[in-house]
């Protein structure tokens, strides 16, 4: 019971861990850059700047609890020097204020290779020298198993939560036309309790929970791992593209967990697993980007209607149940094939009532209708793409 209480206390220390504030800072700057882009494209902010921070801790905390149980039961342990190096790599990869490189495949993959290149005599002086020796003597099977579990968690988070709050944008196609796209940028904090051998922690914090296995004592150490995700989608619905990427990464993670079992017999096989994780994770990103760029744009001018690029939260369009990617073919009974005609058709019935004929993803026609009020968002709060001759973009 005392261990459980100490674990709960440790969870509360999430908000005093320096990496937590680094993640908040990165989310803040990424959010500001997104808002700037949205205002430039649509002259309106689609989501507020705290969108990225809103998903920072959930559902990562739940995933972290599950991973903590797995790592403790299996006996995965890491040294303080290894954790310091992981924090350093995380800081460097988030330095450009991006989520793109914050994948466990890169962070822990680089950490595993670092154990190979650091000399046996260590580097630096004082505490740095001690940490470098601890990294050199890191338990490779434990690091590899942790990498595999976190990559699997990354895949699940992308698959289930990567599509939430995707941001619409206007980009240039290869032919120079303005087309619509969506950006998904997520950073999840996955807090994991790991076993740390020795008395490096208890010598400073005597109250820290300790587990004894045989003749070795282990302390439970709380580590907030960052899992980042960044993807642009222009050739299909964001939900379909992101879900596919998430399943690929999840499959990679499960495969790495199985392959990591070999390291229990051959610890040096960890370098093969780390290389495999880095190469395949990068291949997944590159494959998605190239396929998306070479396919026909999805958010572009249609002959039979106007396609919805984005919906402003809290707007009449959201309350009417309109979805990104749906095609509006008629407004108040008037066929619309251009955004200008959409504007004009909205003036029918003196804007007191709006009835839309919508073509959904499956090609079925449905109707969305609603009374309109003076204090509501102008032009329903729908974002379109203008790409007819003048190549302009506008928020409506």
């Amino acid at each position: 019971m005392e261990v459980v209480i100490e674990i709960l206390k440790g969870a509360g220390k999430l908000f005093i861990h320096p990496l937590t504030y680094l993640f908040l800072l990165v989310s803040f700057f990424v959010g500001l850059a997104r808002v700037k882009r949205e205002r430039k494209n649509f002259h309106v902010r689609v989501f507020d700047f705290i969108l990225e921070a809103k998903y920072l801790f959930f559902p990562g905390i739940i995933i972290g609890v599950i991973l903590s149980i797995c790592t403790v039961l299996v006996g995965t342990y890491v040294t303080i020097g290894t954790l310091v190096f992981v924090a350093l790599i995380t800081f460097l990869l988030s330095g450009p204020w991006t989520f793109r490189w914050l994948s466990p495949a890169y962070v822990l993959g680089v950490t595993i290779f670092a154990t190979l290149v650091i000399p046996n005599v260590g580097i630096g002086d004082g505490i740095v020298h001690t940490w470098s020796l601890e990294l050199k003597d890191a338990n490779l099977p434990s690091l590899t198993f942790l990498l595999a579990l976190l990559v699997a968690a990354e895949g699940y988070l992308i698959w289930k939560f990567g599509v939430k709050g995707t941001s619409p944008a206007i980009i240039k196609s290869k032919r120079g036309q303005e087309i619509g796209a969506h950006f998904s940028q997520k950073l999840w904090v996955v807090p994991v309790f790991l076993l740390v051998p020795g008395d490096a922690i208890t010598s400073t914090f005597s109250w820290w929970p300790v587990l004894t296995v045989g003749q070795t004592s282990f302390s439970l150490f709380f580590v907030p791992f960052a899992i980042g995700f960044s993807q642009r989608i222009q050739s299909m619905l964001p939900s379909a593209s992101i879900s596919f990427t998430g399943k690929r990464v999840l499959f990679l993670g499960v495969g790495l967990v199985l392959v990591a079992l070999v390291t229990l017999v051959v610890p040096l096989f960890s370098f093969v697993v780390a290389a495999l994780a880095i190469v395949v994770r990068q291949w997944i990103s590159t494959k998605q980007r190239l396929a998306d760029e070479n396919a026909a744009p999805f958010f572009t001018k249609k002959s039979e209607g106007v396609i919805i690029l984005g919906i402003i939260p809290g707007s009449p369009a959201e309350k009417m149940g309109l979805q990104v990617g749906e095609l509006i073919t008629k407004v108040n009974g008037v066929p619309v094939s251009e955004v200008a005609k959409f504007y004009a058709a909205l003036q029918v019935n003196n804007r007191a009532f709006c009835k839309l004929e919508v073509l959904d993803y499956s090609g079925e026609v449905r109707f969305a209708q609603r009374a309109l009020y003076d204090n509501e968002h102008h032009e329903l709060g729908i974002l379109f793409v203008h790409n007819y001759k003048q190549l302009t973009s506008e928020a409506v």
Side-chain angles (χ1 to χ4, degrees):
M1 184 62 184
E2 292 181 1
V3 173
V4 174
I5 293 175
E6 296 299 341
I7 289 176
L8 293 176
K9 289 180 180 179
K13 291 177 175 57
L14 168 66
F15 298 100
I16 63 173
H17 198 293
L19 280 181
T20 300
Y21 292 96
L22 170 65
F23 302 150
L24 285 169
L25 194 62
V26 173
S27 298
F28 174 77
F29 279 104
V30 170
L32 287 181
R34 174 187 47 76
V35 170
K36 182 178 180 180
R37 171 176 51 77
E38 290 173 349
R39 290 189 183 279
K40 179 181 179 181
N41 289 168
F42 307 109
H43 309 295
V44 68
R45 181 195 67 190
V46 182
F47 300 101
D48 55 39
F49 72 94
I50 66 168
L51 173 70
E52 288 74 17
K54 185 167 66 174
Y55 298 104
L56 195 58
F57 301 109
F58 182 83
I61 290 179
I62 297 176
I63 301 295
V65 171
I66 297 173
L67 294 188
S68 297
I69 295 173
C70 294
T71 55
V72 172
L73 289 179
V74 173
T76 301
Y77 68 90
V78 294
T79 62
I80 291 295
T82 302
L83 295 178
V84 170
F85 189 84
V86 168
L88 176 62
I89 294 299
T90 300
F91 175 78
L92 293 176
L93 293 181
S94 60
W97 310 118
T98 178
F99 302 154
R100 179 182 177 186
W101 301 107
L102 290 176
S103 167
Y106 305 136
V107 175
L108 289 175
V110 170
T111 301
I112 290 174
F113 278 106
T115 65
L116 183 65
V117 299
I118 290 181
N120 291 324
V121 295
I123 56 176
D125 300 310
I127 190 65
V128 174
H129 180 75
T130 302
W131 286 340
S132 67
L133 289 177
E134 289 183 350
L135 176 60
K136 181 66 180 180
D137 298 330
N139 183 274
L140 292 178
S142 290
L143 269 180
T144 306
F145 185 65
L146 181 61
L147 179 152
L149 285 178
L150 285 171
V151 171
E154 176 188 10
Y156 179 79
L157 287 168
I158 295 172
W159 176 27
K160 292 296 184 180
F161 303 97
V163 73
K164 294 183 179 296
T166 60
S167 172
I170 304 295
I171 63 174
K172 290 281 188 180
S173 69
K174 290 183 177 180
R175 297 183 177 182
Q177 292 183 324
E178 289 192 343
I179 60 174
H182 270 255
F183 285 86
S184 176
Q185 297 187 99
K186 297 290 183 296
L187 180 64
W188 298 285
V189 175
V190 179
V192 181
F193 277 101
L194 296 173
L195 296 174
V196 176
D199 59 354
I201 300 177
T202 54
S203 61
T204 305
F205 305 101
S206 59
W207 48 266
W208 205 272
V210 175
L211 300 176
T212 302
V213 181
Q215 301 298 318
T216 307
S217 296
F218 295 90
S219 301
L220 278 173
F221 195 78
F222 182 79
V223 183
F225 287 97
I227 295 181
F229 174 66
S230 179
Q231 182 167 306
R232 188 185 76 178
I233 308 100
Q234 67 183 48
S235 64
M236 62 174 65
L237 287 174
S239 56
S241 178
I242 294 171
S243 175
F244 186 64
T245 298
K247 290 177 181 178
R248 278 181 164 179
V249 177
L250 179 58
F251 181 77
L252 170 62
V254 173
L256 290 175
V257 171
L258 297 177
V259 176
L261 296 176
V262 179
T263 64
L264 298 176
V265 180
V266 186
L268 291 179
F269 195 72
S270 296
F271 299 110
V272 177
V273 179
L276 184 66
I278 294 173
V279 171
V280 177
R281 183 63 186 90
Q282 182 59 37
W283 176 84
I284 291 173
S285 296
T286 304
K287 182 73 172 178
Q288 182 279 328
R289 178 177 57 82
L290 293 178
D292 190 63
E293 290 176 353
N294 293 327
F298 182 81
F299 295 100
T300 187
K301 181 177 173 61
K302 308 293 182 181
S303 59
E304 67 275 20
V306 288
I307 193 168
I308 299 175
L309 173 60
I311 302 289
I312 296 178
S315 65
E318 184 182 58
K319 296 173 183 177
M320 293 171 71
L322 298 178
Q323 301 292 324
V324 170
E326 290 186 322
L327 203 64
I328 300 176
T329 56
K330 290 183 180 181
V331 179
N332 294 328
V334 179
V336 292
S337 57
E338 299 175 8
V339 176
K341 293 181 178 179
F342 176 89
Y343 298 156
L346 274 181
Q347 307 306 317
V348 178
N349 298 332
N350 298 319
R351 289 184 50 85
F353 187 81
C354 176
K355 181 178 180 180
L356 306 180
E357 185 174 308
V358 181
L359 200 64
D360 63 18
Y361 312 137
S362 60
E364 299 291 332
V365 176
R366 68 180 182 88
F367 296 93
Q369 53 190 8
R370 185 176 187 275
L372 300 178
Y373 304 97
D374 291 338
N375 62 343
E376 290 188 318
H377 196 283
H378 63 291
E379 309 299 347
L380 302 185
I382 305 175
L383 303 177
F384 294 117
V385 178
H386 281 239
N387 64 343
Y388 183 68
K389 290 186 179 181
Q390 70 267 35
L391 300 178
T392 59
S393 60
E394 184 175 341
V396 299

